[in-house]
């Protein structure tokens, strides 16, 4: 049995996908390979995303946005998009999910917390499916 690989993708890889990757990595404790990428990566991770994740003891301060590549998609078992549009390549045999979530870009911490909490709920459900 192989370790499942999950790729989270959003446009800038600075908010939603970073929070999702951090949460899945935290909850999976090595049972899932987790990566994130962006179709048009930003220069840095959203400070509000870093702040709300720190509230949970998850440090995103050393993370940085990564570019989306065909190889990254090809190596993943599950690809979760969060508003990257048609930029994500599609390969047969992959499981694709599209999580419709508000973009935390430019929002204050108070408005990013509910986005983080919704991502956490979805990440926990995904983890329960992947690792039984």
């Amino acid at each position: 049995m192989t370790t499942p690989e999950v790729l989270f993708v959003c446009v800038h890889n600075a908010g939603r996908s970073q929070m999702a990757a951090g949460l899945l990595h935290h909850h999976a404790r090595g049972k899932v390979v987790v990566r994130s990428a962006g179709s048009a990566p930003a220069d840095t991770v959203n400070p509000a995303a870093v702040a709300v994740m720190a509230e949970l003891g998850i440090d995103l301060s050393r993370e940085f946005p990564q570019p989306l590549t065909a190889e990254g998609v090809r190596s993943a078992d599950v690809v979760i998009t969060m508003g990257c549009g048609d930029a994500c390549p599609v390969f047969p045999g992959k499981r694709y999910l599209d999580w419709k979530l508000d973009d935390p870009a430019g929002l204050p911490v108070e408005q990013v917390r509910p986005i983080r909490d919704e991502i956490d709920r979805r990440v926990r459900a995904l983890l329960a499916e992947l690792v039984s």
Side-chain angles (χ1 to χ4, degrees), residues 8-19:
F8 293 102
V9 182
C10 67
V11 175
H12 300 296
N13 189 221
R16 296 167 288 189
S17 57
Q18 289 282 352
M19 289 190 289

Side-chain angles (χ1 to χ4, degrees), residues 35-128:
R35 291 176 290 109
S36 68
S39 54
D43 293 329
T44 60
V45 175
N46 179 330
V50 173
V52 299
M53 294 299 287
E55 293 173 353
L56 301 179
I58 300 170
D59 184 7
L60 294 185
S61 67
R62 295 187 183 115
E63 300 299 326
F64 56 94
Q66 299 290 317
L68 176 64
T69 64
E71 296 78 30
V73 175
R74 203 176 281 120
S75 68
D77 298 302
V78 181
V79 179
I80 300 174
T81 59
M82 303 174 178
C84 71
D86 297 330
C88 191
V90 176
F91 294 103
K94 306 292 173 196
R95 180 178 175 198
Y96 290 88
L97 300 171
D98 185 38
W99 289 358
K100 303 239 185 282
L101 297 159
D102 291 336
D103 187 348
L107 297 179
V109 168
E110 297 76 27
Q111 291 178 322
V112 177
R113 280 189 195 107
I115 299 168
R116 175 205 59 200
D117 294 345
E118 178 59 19
I119 292 170
D120 190 39
R121 185 189 67 73
R122 293 179 191 205
V123 160
R124 288 173 187 261
L126 175 68
L127 181 59

